[in-house]
Amino acid sequence: MTLPAATTRHLFFTGKGGVGKTSLSCATGLALAEAGKRVLIVSTDPASNLDEVLGVSLGSQPTAIPDAAGLFALNIDPEASAQEYRERMVAPYRGILPAAAIASMEEQFSGACTVEIAAFDEFSKLLGEPQTTAAFDHVIFDTAPTGHTLRLLTLPSAWSEFIASSDSGASCLGPLAGLEKQKSLYAATVERLCDPASTTVILVSRPDSSAFREAERTRAELVELGVSNLQLAINGLFSTDRTDDPIATAMMQRADAALAAVPPGLSTLPRTVTPFLPLGTVGLSALRLMEHPDSAPVVVQSDQATTPLPKPLSALVDEIARAGHGVVMAMGKGGVGKTTVAAAIAMALAQRGFPVQLSTTDPAAHVAAAVGESVPLLSVSRIDPAAEIALYTAEVLAKAGSNLDPNGRAMLEEDLRSPCTEEIAVFRAFARAVDAGKEGFVVLDTAPTGHTILLLDAAESYHREVLRTQGDMPEAVRSLLPRLRDTDYTKVLIVTLPEATPVHEAERLQADLARAKIQPFAWVINQSLLASGTRNPMLAQRGRYEIPFIRRVVDGLSTRCALIPWLPEAPIGAKGLAQLTG
């Protein structure tokens, strides 16, 4: 069996970014529909590419997929959901309360926290209200990368605890009446998530050690949440009978080593394996091959196609180094190799004699593992949400709570127990990291695209939030957006893979950055089989598939571009990373 077994009505696909959750969830949904079931696929990812994989424009209502009878899909749009949620909460008070009070309410519903709770509202209706999806035999959730997914799954209990402990109407969520009405819905959602007869969670992983580590971390946290019906889906396992190609040999050896060392918790789960396919997984015909890989045409051609290739990553490092200090931000869709690129650049700058701080805002935080051993002048850190929340809470209570009466202080403490405190606390730490670029180089391995944009968009809502809690706006926060917009101070690198979905996602990211008046410094195309020199027929065919996407980046999207080949030696540790910038 190559696709996960659909033994329950609800299926969740989750895992490290870039492991193929969307293609695998769509292939599973298509297979169920072609077996006579009515299936709804739902994306809860802020950076969803469900439209592209299924080849149809989707909205917030179920849309029938052409040429796939019984298959429907929809996207939960967090921004649209937030706007609707905000208006639903504020509208009843228009014409009743003074204009100043309405403006204050709208401000309270303007932050990233509202986006998350509004998206969760929509998610809860689909999972917690059976009548909403009664027309379907199966509902498949193509979830966001792991950090966001876990936050989404823990929100029911987080918000329920917050509501239960709240006895006044002033919170960062605005009037609590709107949430109070949702308590029974949230309770039903939690119950359905944890019911093994109703819900299966499929942990998707590439045959790769870091992806397995992430899947194991997710498994442990899900079990803690009471979610026990789990499966493991290994996607993209490459195999070949030919051993005369170093790239093919290395790819198989890495996969074999990773499979031999699958963490014990994962090894006991029911498992499916989907083989590596030489073409992308966009469109219904490609999705059908995931279920029936034996029907794929035999690849015999091994001639290496040619196209002018971009410069190596070392050329970008040369340009960055000339400034002597500043911030380098690696941005892009999850799974494209941001961590590896950020670590390689940081190490190369340190080896040139510059003090470098390598940090991450990614909840998965793999930068330390990427660097491995200690490198002179290079310090590695991560922004720890728990530590930042404690620091921010103590600071606000000390400054804003000292002159409050017991009721006022209780109200402030209530605000600080809200989940959106984490958004503010982490944002401050991000601003501090950018501020450190005045003295040396700061290289930031940022979170996946959707989270990153929410983080950048938080500047104005953050300003309102600190005023509301009577906190101070640090200078680092005040200067953040101007610094991000200063191309002499901040070098934004958009990292992608030479494939359809990652390039299109990166193109959307560039458009989002343009709206925020942030200009990328360069694009980095990672893990190119075309540039690897492979002669293996299947891998060479995959290399030829990359050409239009490389050309799209070089000719239409970037002013500077670097290309990193797929490397036989894994780019881990000082020696492995040096291959990228050597």
Side-chain angles (χ1 to χ4, degrees):
M1 179 181 291
T2 62
L3 296 179
T7 56
T8 58
R9 183 166 184 267
H10 301 103
L11 303 174
F12 274 82
F13 286 76
T14 187
K16 179 180 169 68
V19 294
K21 294 184 298 295
T22 299
S23 56
L24 202 56
S25 63
C26 289
T28 302
L30 178 62
L32 288 169
E34 292 184 336
K37 304 293 186 181
R38 282 179 62 84
V39 181
L40 175 64
I41 304 175
V42 179
S43 175
T44 59
D45 191 337
S48 171
N49 64 319
L50 200 58
D51 307 54
E52 184 171 24
V53 172
L54 293 173
V56 64
S57 179
L58 300 175
S60 59
Q61 298 300 315
T63 298
I65 307 304
D67 302 318
L71 185 62
F72 297 77
L74 67 84
N75 277 322
I76 292 177
D77 182 340
E79 295 294 342
S81 299
Q83 185 174 351
E84 293 170 8
Y85 180 84
R86 182 163 50 245
E87 185 58 25
R88 191 164 72 245
M89 294 296 103
V90 175
Y93 300 95
R94 295 189 192 280
I96 298 174
L97 296 179
I102 295 296
S104 176
M105 289 174 65
E106 289 176 335
E107 281 187 358
Q108 291 179 45
F109 285 110
S110 64
C113 194
T114 299
V115 174
E116 187 138 30
I117 193 63
F120 182 72
D121 233 21
E122 299 298 320
F123 164 81
S124 294
K125 291 173 191 172
L126 293 169
L127 191 62
E129 293 181 347
Q131 67 274 17
T132 306
T133 58
F136 301 99
D137 299 304
H138 293 280
V139 182
I140 296 176
F141 292 91
D142 167 34
T143 58
T146 307
H148 179 81
T149 300
L150 290 176
R151 185 166 168 77
L152 190 68
L153 293 176
T154 56
L155 270 172
S157 56
W159 290 116
S160 296
E161 290 169 9
F162 182 57
I163 293 166
S165 66
S166 298
D167 52 16
S168 70
S171 83
C172 67
L173 298 174
L176 285 171
L179 286 178
E180 184 68 30
K181 295 173 185 175
Q182 303 295 80
K183 284 176 69 174
S184 60
L185 174 60
Y186 291 174
T189 303
V190 174
E191 182 180 356
R192 196 144 288 122
L193 279 170
C194 297
D195 179 7
S198 175
T199 300
T200 304
V201 177
I202 294 102
L203 304 172
V204 185
S205 177
R206 295 286 186 189
D208 173 82
S209 297
S210 66
F212 282 142
R213 284 196 301 270
E214 184 71 18
E216 169 58 19
R217 187 181 71 85
T218 303
R219 183 205 63 80
E221 295 191 27
L222 287 173
V223 169
E224 266 188 47
L225 292 169
V227 180
S228 59
N229 189 3
L230 304 171
Q231 296 181 27
L232 175 63
I234 300 173
N235 188 31
L237 181 63
F238 174 75
S239 64
T240 180
D241 295 332
R242 296 179 57 172
T243 58
D244 57 346
D245 182 76
I247 302 296
T249 300
M251 193 174 286
M252 286 194 299
Q253 288 175 342
R254 281 194 216 172
D256 289 345
L259 289 167
V262 171
L266 289 182
S267 64
T268 61
L269 299 181
R271 179 187 302 187
T272 57
V273 177
T274 306
F276 175 93
L277 296 173
L279 298 179
T281 51
V282 172
L284 298 186
S285 58
L287 295 175
R288 290 186 179 101
L289 285 179
M290 295 183 73
E291 184 188 12
H292 304 290
D294 292 341
S295 65
V298 177
V299 180
V300 293
Q301 183 180 358
S302 60
D303 293 338
Q304 192 76 345
T306 59
T307 189
L309 297 180
K311 295 178 180 179
L313 186 61
S314 57
L316 292 185
V317 176
D318 290 341
E319 275 199 76
I320 292 168
R322 291 188 196 117
H325 69 94
V327 174
V328 179
M329 290 176 59
M331 300 180 71
K333 179 180 170 67
V336 296
K338 296 185 301 294
T339 299
T340 299
V341 170
I345 291 172
M347 192 185 73
L349 290 170
Q351 289 174 339
R352 295 178 189 212
F354 298 104
V356 182
Q357 177 184 334
L358 172 62
S359 188
T360 183
T361 59
D362 192 334
H366 297 299
V367 288
V371 173
E373 64 268 35
S374 174
V375 176
L377 296 177
L378 175 61
S379 61
V380 180
S381 63
R382 69 178 287 257
I383 294 173
D384 180 355
E388 297 302 331
I389 289 168
L391 182 66
Y392 177 68
T393 299
E395 181 182 316
V396 172
L397 286 174
K399 292 182 179 179
S402 58
N403 297 322
L404 296 176
D405 61 25
N407 285 339
R409 187 175 177 87
M411 188 178 295
L412 179 59
E413 289 174 345
E414 174 187 298
D415 269 349
L416 292 170
R417 284 199 302 272
S418 159
C420 51
T421 294
E422 179 177 328
E423 296 289 343
I424 303 304
V426 170
F427 187 76
R428 285 159 45 99
F430 177 80
R432 287 199 306 272
V434 171
D435 185 62
K438 294 183 299 185
E439 307 300 330
F441 280 107
V442 175
V443 181
L444 290 168
D445 162 36
T446 60
T449 305
H451 176 78
T452 301
I453 294 302
L454 287 177
L455 193 65
L456 296 177
D457 282 350
E460 295 304 321
S461 57
Y462 176 89
H463 192 175
R464 290 190 290 268
E465 176 72 12
V466 293
L467 291 178
R468 188 182 59 75
T469 58
Q470 302 175 49
D472 294 328
M473 176 176 276
E475 179 57 32
V477 174
R478 198 182 308 276
S479 303
L480 177 61
L481 278 180
R483 283 175 172 159
L484 294 180
R485 291 166 177 160
D486 181 355
T487 54
D488 290 330
Y489 189 91
T490 301
K491 303 290 191 295
V492 173
L493 304 180
I494 294 182
V495 184
T496 190
L497 300 176
E499 300 171 18
T501 298
V503 169
H504 297 329
E505 289 287 346
E507 190 170 357
R508 285 198 285 271
L509 168 59
Q510 181 158 271
D512 288 337
L513 291 172
R515 283 192 288 275
K517 299 183 176 66
I518 297 172
Q519 179 66 40
F521 172 71
W523 283 55
V524 178
I525 304 173
N526 195 23
Q527 298 178 12
S528 170
L529 282 167
L530 180 67
S532 71
T534 180
R535 293 290 178 178
N536 177 272
M538 186 177 291
L539 298 184
Q541 181 175 348
R542 186 59 178 259
R544 288 191 293 276
Y545 167 79
E546 297 174 358
I547 291 175
F549 308 112
I550 293 173
R551 297 265 51 92
R552 172 67 183 147
V553 173
V554 173
D555 301 333
L557 296 173
S558 65
T559 55
R560 297 178 187 82
C561 182
L563 184 70
I564 300 172
W566 200 97
L567 299 165
E569 183 178 345
I572 298 171
K575 181 182 176 184
L577 291 173
Q579 300 174 95
L580 276 67
T581 57

